[in-house]
Amino acid sequence: MKLCIAEKPSVARDIAKVLGATMPKQGYMEGNGYCVTWTFGHLCTLKEPHDYGPELKSWSLIFLPIIPKNFGIKLIPNKGVENQFKVIEKLVEECDEVINCGDAGQEGELIQRWVLQKAKCNKPVHRLWISSLTEEAIKEGFDNLKPAEDYKNLYLAGNARAIGDWLLGINATRLFTKKFGGNKAVLSIGRVQTPTLAMLVQRQKEIDSFTVEEYWELKTKYRDVIFNAAIDRLKTLDRAEKGLEYLKQNPFEIVSFEIKEGKEKNPRLFDLTGLQVEANRKYGYSAENTLKYVQSLYEKKHVTYPRVDTTYLSESLYPKIEGILRKMAFYQELIAPLLEKPIPKSKAVFDDAKVTDHHAIIPTEVPPSQNLSREEKLIYDLIAKRFISVFYPECKISNTLVEAQVGTIPFKTSGKQILEPGWRAVYAKDTKEPSEKEKEKEEEQTIPEFTVGESGPHEPMIHQGKTSPPKPYTEATLLRAMETAGKQVEDEELRELLKNNGIGRPSTRANIIETLFKRKYIEKKRKNLIATQTGIQLIDTIEDELLKSPELTGEWELKLRKIESGEYEANQFKEELIQMVTDLTRKVVDGKGKVITLQEEEKETKEKKKREPAAKKELQSWEETKCPKCKEHHLMKGKTAVGCSDYKNCNFKIPFEIFGKKLSDKQLMDLVIKGKTSKLKGFSSHPEGTTEGILSLSDNFEILLQ
C-alpha cells in the first residue's frame, strides 16, 4: 500500500479523487492501492524551553542564552492534531511506501519531514512536486514522482530557518523583556520582525525631524508650453524676483528640439510580493488577506502555486499557454488578438535560469465559477490581466525633449505621447486611482513642433513651493522594501537580482507585518503604517546593529538560500547564530537598564474594523467533522445532503434543502455542531405554513422548525 500525505484535507480530497482512493475512513481515504491522509498545516513544532528543563519555564536572565544541545520536535498540543497524528503514525507503519504530497515549498517540506520524523518513518519516501491542483497537474506529478533525497537541502534550509528564528526569538525576547520591559509586558524580538520594525521607525524619525522649507523656481510660458529653469531651486524670494526681472529683459530662444521614439516594457508576471503590492495599491488589501484570497484560488484550482518569488515561467510551460488562454472565456475580447498568431516566446517571460522550485503565478486551464467571493474575483482579475498583458506587444511611445534659454539661464521641458498602446490596451477599461507617478505623467504637456533658433515673446513667472517630508510606508512600499532589504529600487531587473538578499520570504512577510500590528509596535492611519512610541523605543533600546539591520538580515536570508542550493552548511548557519545570541546576551545583561513605556491599548476591535474588512473565516471541512449521532465516523458531503460516512449503519443525514429553504454550509455546520441554527426566514413548504424560525436537531436527530 502506498501512503500519500497532503497538507490539508481539501488537497487530500483532490489527490484521492485522481488516484481512485474514494472510500472514506477515519482520518484518511482508501482505494486502488493507495491511502491518502493529511495534516492540518503544522502538526509538529520545535520543543519549547521548558521541554529541555523545567527550570527554563521561568523567564530569568541567569538561564540565558538557552541553547539546546540537540533541537527536538513535539506535537502541537491539540486534541485534533494528536488524533490525526495517530492516524498518520499507524498508516506509516502499515504502508510499503510514503509519497510526500505536502505543499511544494520550503515550509511544506518542513511540515511533512517533521511529521515523518515524529512517526519514525523508515519506509521509502517519494515527493510529489506540482504547481497547481488541477487533475492534469496531479496526474502529471504522480507520473513524475521525485526521490525525497532531491529535496533534502530544501528541508535543511527550512529546519535551519526554524532553529534560527527559535534561537533569536526565544533568547532576545526574554532578554529584552526582563531587562527593559519593567515586568509590564513582553518585548518581542524576531529575526525578520525587528529589522522590519527598524525600517518603519527610521522612516518615522525622518518624517518627524523633517523641517519644511520654502523654495522658489523660475518658469516661463512660450507658445502655450510651460518651461522650467534648469537651475537649482532658489532659497529666497528676493533672488527669485531678481531672476524674474532678468527674464523679462531677455528674449526666449529654442536651443534644441528632439523627438525620440521609445518602448515601455510589459509588466512582469506576478510573484507573491508583486501581487500583494498591487492588491494593496489598488484595493487596499493587507498582505495577509491577499495571501488568503490567492491561496483559496489555488485550492479551487484557478491559479498556480502562489508562495513564489519569481516572475518567470519555465520554458516547458510554453506549449500549454495557448490552451490556458483559450479557456479564459471571460477575457476573450482581450485574448482574441493574441490567438491570431503564434504566442510570442520572450526571454522576459520564459527563462529556466530564473525559475527555481516554481514559476510565476498564472491562471490554470480551470476558469473560475461565479461563486467566488468579491475579493477572490478581484485577485483573479489582477492575475489574469497580468498574464494576458505579457504576451501583448510593448507599448510604443514618443518622448519629446526641448531645451531653451533666456539670456544665460537654461530652460527645458518634456512631453510624452503613446503612439501604440500595446500591452496598455489590456488595462484601458480599468478604473483606478492613479499613482503619484501616473499623475505626473498625465500632467505632461503636448509639445508642438519647435525649430532650433526660433525666438519670441514669453511670459516669465515665479513658482513658490515647499519641500515635503519622506512618505510614510504603506503595506505595498514596505513589502517592496523587505524584498530589497531596505534599498529603494524601481527597476524590475535590479529588484530581481536583490531578491536573494531580501528579508523574510514571500510567504512569511504578511505574517511579520501582522505580528507588528498585534504587538502594537505599528498602527495604520488610512493606508499609512506608523511606528508607535513602543515600537520606536524598542528599536532605540537595541544597540546591536545585527538585530535591526535589514542588510545584515538580508545576508542571513542569502545564506538560507545557499543552504537550499547546497552551497552552505546548515550547521555553520546555526553556529553563527549561537555565537551572535551569546554575544548579544552578554552585552545586554552587562549594559544599563531602562524601562520602555508601553503604547496605551486602543480599542482593538475598532482598529481592526478600520484597517480592513476581515477575511471570511474558513469553515472546517465536513471530513474533519464527527458525526453527531454515532460520534465515531466523520461526515461526507454528497450531491443533495451531508451524511455520516458510515450511513448504512448510522443513517444520519441532513439535506441541503429543508422545508423549501436551501441552507448555506455555515447554517448546516451550525445545525450539526451546535444542534441549531440562528433565526432563519424563507421556509416555503413547512406542513404548518411556518415561514421563519430556528432549525434544531431533536434527541432522535430529527429536524424541527421552531
Side-chain angles (χ1 to χ4, degrees):
M1 178 264 282
K2 293 181 181 180
L3 171 63
C4 301
I5 310 176
E7 196 167 305
K8 52 168 64 176
S10 59
V11 177
R13 279 198 302 276
D14 291 334
I15 290 169
K17 188 179 169 190
V18 170
L19 295 176
T22 52
M23 192 180 294
K25 299 280 185 176
Q26 186 89 31
Y28 65 101
M29 311 281 283
E30 188 178 20
N32 205 21
Y34 289 94
C35 282
V36 183
T37 187
W38 53 83
T39 62
F40 307 121
H42 279 279
L43 292 192
C44 297
T45 184
L46 287 172
K47 284 182 176 176
E48 292 171 75
H50 61 261
D51 295 314
Y52 298 104
E55 73 282 0
L56 297 179
K57 193 158 193 167
S58 146
W59 285 36
S60 171
L61 291 174
I62 61 168
F63 295 126
L64 297 180
I66 301 166
I67 298 166
K69 203 168 186 181
N70 293 302
F71 281 84
I73 55 168
K74 64 175 186 177
L75 282 180
I76 289 168
N78 172 289
K79 198 71 188 151
V81 164
E82 288 161 18
N83 289 340
Q84 188 60 18
F85 177 74
K86 281 177 190 165
V87 171
I88 295 171
E89 194 175 31
K90 177 174 164 288
L91 292 171
V92 164
E93 200 178 315
E94 293 170 356
C95 74
D96 304 308
E97 175 190 330
V98 175
I99 300 169
N100 172 354
C101 304
D103 230 358
Q106 193 184 96
E107 198 71 3
E109 192 66 22
L110 187 67
I111 286 169
Q112 297 285 326
R113 295 251 187 166
W114 276 356
V115 166
L116 292 173
Q117 199 176 311
K118 187 77 183 158
K120 298 185 173 63
C121 174
N122 58 4
K123 305 291 168 70
V125 181
H126 283 86
R127 185 58 157 110
L128 174 73
W129 195 268
I130 52 178
S131 281
S132 82
L133 292 173
T134 63
E135 195 172 318
E136 185 192 348
I138 293 170
K139 279 180 181 169
E140 209 173 290
F142 272 94
D143 289 342
N144 296 284
L145 290 172
K146 312 283 185 196
E149 193 60 25
D150 288 5
Y151 299 93
K152 186 184 175 188
N153 288 333
L154 188 68
Y155 160 69
L156 289 173
N159 199 51
R161 178 184 294 280
I163 287 171
D165 288 345
W166 191 101
L167 273 169
L168 197 60
I170 294 284
N171 285 294
T173 296
R174 289 187 175 202
L175 182 64
F176 279 81
T177 298
K178 292 309 290 178
K179 189 79 177 177
F180 307 111
N183 294 321
K184 287 182 182 176
V186 172
L187 297 176
S188 172
I189 308 283
R191 189 179 59 84
V192 180
Q193 171 194 314
T194 304
T196 303
L197 176 60
M199 288 195 290
L200 285 155
V201 168
Q202 175 64 25
R203 179 63 57 88
Q204 192 63 41
K205 286 183 171 179
E206 287 168 7
I207 293 166
D208 292 345
S209 63
F210 186 82
T211 307
V212 175
E213 291 178 0
E214 289 187 323
Y215 64 84
W216 290 265
E217 291 176 316
L218 297 174
K219 295 177 181 268
T220 192
K221 192 182 201 180
Y222 173 71
R223 284 178 58 188
D224 289 328
V225 175
I226 303 288
F227 285 78
N228 301 308
I231 57 172
D232 290 341
R233 288 170 170 176
L234 304 171
K235 299 289 173 69
T236 65
L237 178 58
D238 184 50
R239 285 194 65 194
E241 285 174 341
K242 281 178 183 167
L244 184 65
E245 282 308 308
Y246 177 80
L247 294 180
K248 285 177 180 175
Q249 291 162 18
N250 286 279
F252 181 93
E253 184 186 350
I254 298 290
V255 175
S256 79
F257 177 73
E258 190 179 14
I259 297 177
K260 276 186 181 173
E261 283 197 11
K263 288 177 179 176
E264 276 187 352
K265 286 182 181 176
N266 302 49
R268 290 288 175 99
L269 288 168
F270 283 126
D271 58 6
L272 178 59
T273 303
L275 181 63
Q276 287 169 319
V277 166
E278 189 67 4
N280 181 258
R281 191 184 70 77
K282 202 166 179 181
Y283 304 121
Y285 294 163
S286 70
E288 186 184 42
N289 279 349
T290 297
L291 179 54
K292 279 181 193 167
Y293 305 143
V294 72
Q295 181 70 20
S296 174
L297 288 169
Y298 167 66
E299 286 169 22
K300 289 171 182 171
K301 309 181 186 56
H302 304 316
V303 302
T304 57
Y305 184 67
R307 295 162 188 262
V308 298
D309 60 358
T310 180
T311 56
Y312 292 86
L313 300 178
S314 47
E315 288 158 38
S316 60
L317 263 177
Y318 176 74
K320 297 182 178 179
I321 299 300
E322 188 180 329
I324 295 170
L325 288 166
R326 286 188 186 280
K327 289 280 172 71
M328 295 168 70
F330 184 76
Y331 299 92
Q332 279 312 305
E333 194 181 319
L334 296 172
I335 290 166
L338 294 178
L339 300 177
E340 289 169 4
K341 46 195 171 196
I343 303 295
K345 192 177 181 182
S346 152
K347 239 346 188 186
V349 179
F350 300 94
D351 189 344
D352 284 348
K354 304 280 176 69
V355 176
T356 48
D357 301 333
H358 290 284
H359 54 71
I361 308 168
I362 61 170
T364 66
E365 62 271 25
V366 179
S369 56
Q370 286 304 305
N371 58 6
L372 296 182
S373 69
R374 178 178 179 272
E375 292 83 1
E376 287 169 356
K377 283 176 184 170
L378 290 173
I379 295 296
Y380 181 84
D381 186 65
L382 287 179
I383 296 165
K385 283 187 174 163
R386 185 62 66 94
F387 178 61
I388 295 164
S389 73
V390 299
F391 302 114
Y392 264 69
E394 290 178 318
C395 170
K396 287 188 181 171
I397 55 170
S398 147
N399 286 312
T400 307
L401 180 65
V402 190
E403 292 178 357
Q405 65 183 45
V406 178
T408 58
I409 298 178
F411 279 81
K412 64 181 179 184
T413 193
S414 61
K416 187 181 91 172
Q417 283 180 297
I418 292 175
L419 304 175
E420 290 176 26
W423 61 266
R424 284 187 171 276
V426 175
Y427 298 97
K429 291 180 182 174
D430 279 20
T431 53
K432 62 181 175 69
E433 276 293 305
S435 66
E436 289 301 314
K437 281 194 165 182
E438 285 164 338
K439 281 177 188 168
E440 283 171 29
K441 284 176 184 173
E442 280 170 19
E443 286 164 16
E444 282 178 344
Q445 309 169 83
T446 306
I447 311 284
E449 193 83 25
F450 288 112
T451 310
V452 174
E454 75 170 82
S455 186
H458 64 113
E459 301 166 35
M461 63 192 90
I462 294 172
H463 166 74
Q464 183 181 356
K466 286 180 183 176
T467 54
S468 51
K471 286 187 168 59
Y473 280 113
T474 62
E475 280 208 36
T477 56
L478 181 61
L479 284 165
R480 282 295 187 214
M482 291 172 81
E483 188 182 53
T484 55
K487 294 180 178 70
Q488 300 300 310
V489 180
E490 292 297 330
D491 184 75
E492 286 193 326
E493 297 279 348
L494 184 56
R495 193 188 293 140
E496 200 74 28
L497 294 172
L498 285 170
K499 277 183 182 178
N500 284 348
N501 285 61
I503 59 174
R505 284 181 76 82
S507 53
T508 59
R509 287 177 191 139
N511 185 253
I512 294 294
I513 296 170
E514 287 304 310
T515 300
L516 292 173
F517 277 124
K518 282 175 194 155
R519 303 279 183 207
K520 296 202 171 359
Y521 296 158
I522 64 171
E523 58 191 8
K524 192 176 270 191
K525 290 184 179 171
R526 295 195 181 91
K527 263 191 171 185
N528 298 331
L529 304 183
I530 309 295
T532 63
Q533 270 316 106
T534 308
I536 292 169
Q537 284 186 45
L538 179 58
I539 293 301
D540 286 348
T541 304
I542 299 169
E543 291 175 3
D544 200 305
E545 272 306 304
L546 271 169
L547 272 184
K548 57 185 182 180
S549 162
E551 289 83 2
L552 291 169
T553 308
E555 284 175 25
W556 291 343
E557 207 64 49
L558 184 61
K559 285 174 183 174
L560 284 164
R561 285 173 185 272
K562 284 185 171 177
I563 293 169
E564 205 172 295
S565 59
E567 300 168 61
Y568 202 78
E569 282 292 321
N571 279 336
Q572 173 74 17
F573 180 77
K574 188 171 98 176
E575 289 308 316
E576 286 171 15
L577 273 169
I578 287 172
Q579 188 60 52
M580 180 200 155
V581 164
T582 306
D583 294 345
L584 176 72
T585 305
R586 198 175 300 123
K587 193 192 290 184
V588 173
V589 168
D590 295 343
K592 285 182 181 176
K594 64 174 181 179
V595 176
I596 291 175
T597 47
L598 297 167
Q599 181 82 351
E600 277 184 47
E601 283 206 14
E602 291 174 36
K603 286 176 187 171
E604 226 174 299
T605 49
K606 280 189 181 176
E607 277 300 289
K608 279 182 183 171
K609 278 180 188 172
K610 275 184 202 169
R611 263 214 322 267
E612 192 183 323
K616 285 181 183 173
K617 192 177 177 185
E618 200 173 310
L619 293 172
Q620 69 183 66
S621 72
W622 293 109
E623 286 80 359
E624 293 169 60
T625 309
K626 276 207 171 169
C627 172
K629 188 175 179 184
C630 69
K631 295 187 171 55
E632 281 183 36
H633 297 87
H634 287 70
L635 297 177
M636 282 179 69
K637 190 175 183 180
K639 287 183 180 175
T640 59
V642 169
C644 182
S645 55
D646 187 30
Y647 181 70
K648 282 181 184 174
N649 298 312
C650 171
N651 295 324
F652 176 77
K653 76 168 180 179
I654 297 179
F656 298 156
E657 192 174 295
I658 300 171
F659 301 131
K661 177 175 176 61
K662 193 165 184 184
L663 300 189
S664 69
D665 270 7
K666 184 180 183 321
Q667 290 159 350
L668 286 165
M669 193 66 83
D670 283 348
L671 195 51
V672 168
I673 293 172
K674 298 176 184 174
K676 63 177 183 178
T677 66
S678 55
K679 192 171 183 181
L680 305 175
K681 294 181 179 181
F683 297 101
S684 58
S685 58
H686 190 269
E688 293 170 17
T690 309
T691 58
E692 59 183 75
I694 293 170
L695 289 173
S696 61
L697 284 177
S698 72
D699 293 342
N700 301 324
F701 296 97
E702 291 173 354
I703 299 165
L704 309 172
L705 178 60
Q706 296 163 321

